[in-house]
Amino acid sequence: LKKVKRFQKFLVVADLNIGDAVIAWNGIYALKETFPDSKIDYVVKKSTGNIINGYPEINRVYPIYNGSPYPSEDELLALKKIAKGSKYDVILNFSPMINKKIFGNKYVIDYSIMANELLNNEFNYESVNNITFQAYSFVRNIFRDCHSSNESTGVRGSTIYLSNKAVLSAENFLIFHGLDLSSTKIMITPDACS
């Protein structure tokens, strides 16, 4: 990082799943907290774009992944094109499925550094090993020598933004299936890790 001349434009590459993109948002929040005037672009899964687009910390969302366990050749080419086409000062790669070599000679902070921390914390019962917390702490620690006078506000948790169109679509789904709009709903996904 000592070779980086400025910290104004970042590309953050999420892992391939929706939840991973929501969790990694805390890393983006930490970036914006550290570099308030920076521009941050975010690469996510196609179906994630709709819940990420409202994040005020993100300038541009690139929904390119289809959701396979591994990125396809087309997705890797799209990612390579994005990285090459813009003048990013630093790229944060949160995906263990994407080799940092794809970004060429750009400055890349790779997920493997955070993965080490997570593995070490498994054996240290005094540490916080929550991935949301770690995404935030990871970025704050990486850039600890670059912090402006801004103090850390801490982890905000994971947030999603739903467009008016998405809310209307959900309401129409409930009405179509004869469900009460005013009652509490709990959504459970069997494919989630939490």
Side-chain angles (χ1 to χ4, degrees):
L1 288 177
K2 290 179 180 175
K3 295 179 183 177
V4 179
K5 293 179 174 58
R6 60 190 186 137
F7 296 95
Q8 294 176 348
K9 192 163 185 188
F10 295 90
L11 178 65
V12 178
V13 179
D15 202 3
L16 307 181
N17 298 307
I18 295 171
D20 296 318
V22 172
I23 288 168
W25 171 79
N26 278 282
I28 291 174
Y29 177 68
L31 261 182
K32 199 64 169 179
E33 186 179 72
T34 306
F35 306 104
D37 298 325
S38 64
K39 304 268 190 256
I40 302 170
D41 294 346
Y42 200 25
V43 175
V44 296
K45 183 177 180 176
K46 286 182 180 175
S47 57
T48 309
N50 293 331
I51 60 174
I52 299 291
N53 268 328
Y55 285 23
E57 295 81 8
I58 299 171
N59 289 77
R60 186 164 183 184
V61 176
Y62 291 102
I64 63 169
Y65 305 134
N66 286 312
S68 299
Y70 302 99
S72 70
E73 287 299 316
D74 288 343
E75 292 165 352
L76 291 173
L77 284 172
L79 182 56
K80 193 174 187 177
K81 185 178 178 182
I82 291 166
K84 186 178 180 182
S86 293
K87 296 184 178 178
Y88 294 108
D89 300 314
V90 177
I91 296 173
L92 273 83
N93 178 19
F94 278 99
S95 177
M97 303 298 170
I98 297 172
N99 189 315
K100 68 180 181 179
K101 292 178 183 174
I102 195 166
F103 303 112
N105 61 356
K106 304 272 185 174
Y107 296 111
V108 179
I109 297 171
D110 203 50
Y111 172 84
S112 59
I113 301 169
M114 189 170 89
N116 259 352
E117 184 75 15
L118 291 168
L119 289 172
N120 286 334
N121 287 344
E122 282 297 312
F123 302 102
N124 180 356
Y125 299 110
E126 294 177 14
S127 64
V128 178
N129 214 25
N130 174 286
I131 190 74
T132 302
F133 174 84
Q134 286 300 332
Y136 176 85
S137 296
F138 171 66
V139 172
R140 287 295 290 187
N141 287 332
I142 289 283
F143 295 106
R144 70 180 159 267
D145 295 333
C146 306
H147 291 182
S148 62
S149 61
N150 298 344
E151 292 295 318
S152 170
T153 59
V155 178
R156 288 177 49 188
S158 296
T159 305
I160 62 170
Y161 291 86
L162 299 174
S163 67
N164 290 337
K165 181 180 174 185
V167 172
L168 184 61
S169 177
E171 286 177 356
N172 289 336
F173 175 86
L174 294 174
I175 291 167
F176 180 80
H177 291 286
L179 299 169
D180 179 14
L181 291 175
S182 63
S183 67
T184 301
K185 314 290 182 290
I186 298 174
M187 298 187 326
I188 299 173
T189 173
D191 193 30
C193 62
S194 60

